[in-house]
Amino acid sequence: MTTFKSRLQGDLTAAIKERDELRSATLRMALAAITTEEVAGKTARELSDDEVQKVLAREAKKRREAAEAFEKGGRAESAERERAEGAVLADYLPRQLTDEELATLVAEAVDEARAQGAEGPRAMGAVMKAVNPRVAGRAEGGRVAAAVKRALAG
């Protein structure tokens, strides 16, 4: 078992003992998503720590999107619950990049792409290819793409 997954299971046990309903429900949901990912496909396999983090990032994104949808639908209590679950998941994810840090990484990638001859909006693919490994789960793809577009337009 991966160390990350065993940490989640240990934290779930602690949350159950402490009678922390929100944390235990969120960790159960996360572990269920991990198990679903492990048994998806033709053969069952164990996920690496990086793959487990990707599953958690996907679940956190679902919580943010659900919170927005509930907010638009006038269901503030449900939106607040989704945000609280997202906060629990955020404890297990790497710290997100600030806008300034992201802009710096994107600017470096744009400079590299221009040095290789890529110019204007057509450089988007080259810049994204260069910046994605540096970002590595510390910023959502849509946020990165928007920063790249801003940098290429400016």
Side-chain angles (χ1 to χ4, degrees):
M1 183 183 311
T2 62
T3 56
F4 203 62
K5 185 177 174 185
S6 59
R7 176 181 160 207
L8 287 170
Q9 288 177 329
D11 290 352
L12 172 61
T13 303
I16 291 171
K17 287 179 181 176
E18 294 167 8
R19 300 198 189 291
D20 185 343
E21 190 275 330
L22 171 71
R23 191 167 194 79
S24 62
T26 304
L27 292 174
R28 275 192 184 109
M29 171 273 309
L31 286 165
I34 291 166
T35 302
T36 301
E37 188 75 19
E38 287 178 334
V39 298
K42 294 185 187 284
T43 58
R45 64 191 177 88
E46 190 167 317
L47 299 180
S48 68
D49 282 349
D50 286 343
E51 291 171 316
V52 169
Q53 269 198 319
K54 286 178 184 173
V55 171
L56 290 180
R58 193 169 50 231
E59 291 299 315
K61 182 178 179 186
K62 286 180 188 177
R63 298 296 159 277
R64 281 191 301 277
E65 290 171 351
E68 289 174 20
F70 282 133
E71 200 68 47
K72 287 178 185 172
R75 296 181 56 194
E77 294 168 5
S78 298
E80 194 53 43
R81 171 70 183 208
E82 293 292 333
R83 282 192 199 93
E85 289 179 0
V88 170
L89 292 174
D91 293 343
Y92 298 96
L93 295 172
R95 183 188 65 78
Q96 295 294 296
L97 293 172
T98 65
D99 290 339
E100 294 79 28
E101 292 169 328
L102 181 58
T104 302
L105 289 174
V106 168
E108 291 170 5
V110 167
D111 291 342
E112 288 174 19
R114 286 192 176 137
Q116 296 171 357
E119 277 297 322
R122 288 187 299 218
M124 179 86 176
V127 174
M128 288 296 288
K129 189 175 182 180
V131 82
N132 274 335
R134 296 178 193 167
V135 171
R138 296 182 296 156
E140 280 185 26
R143 207 173 135 219
V144 175
V148 169
K149 285 179 184 172
R150 277 194 305 274
L152 290 173

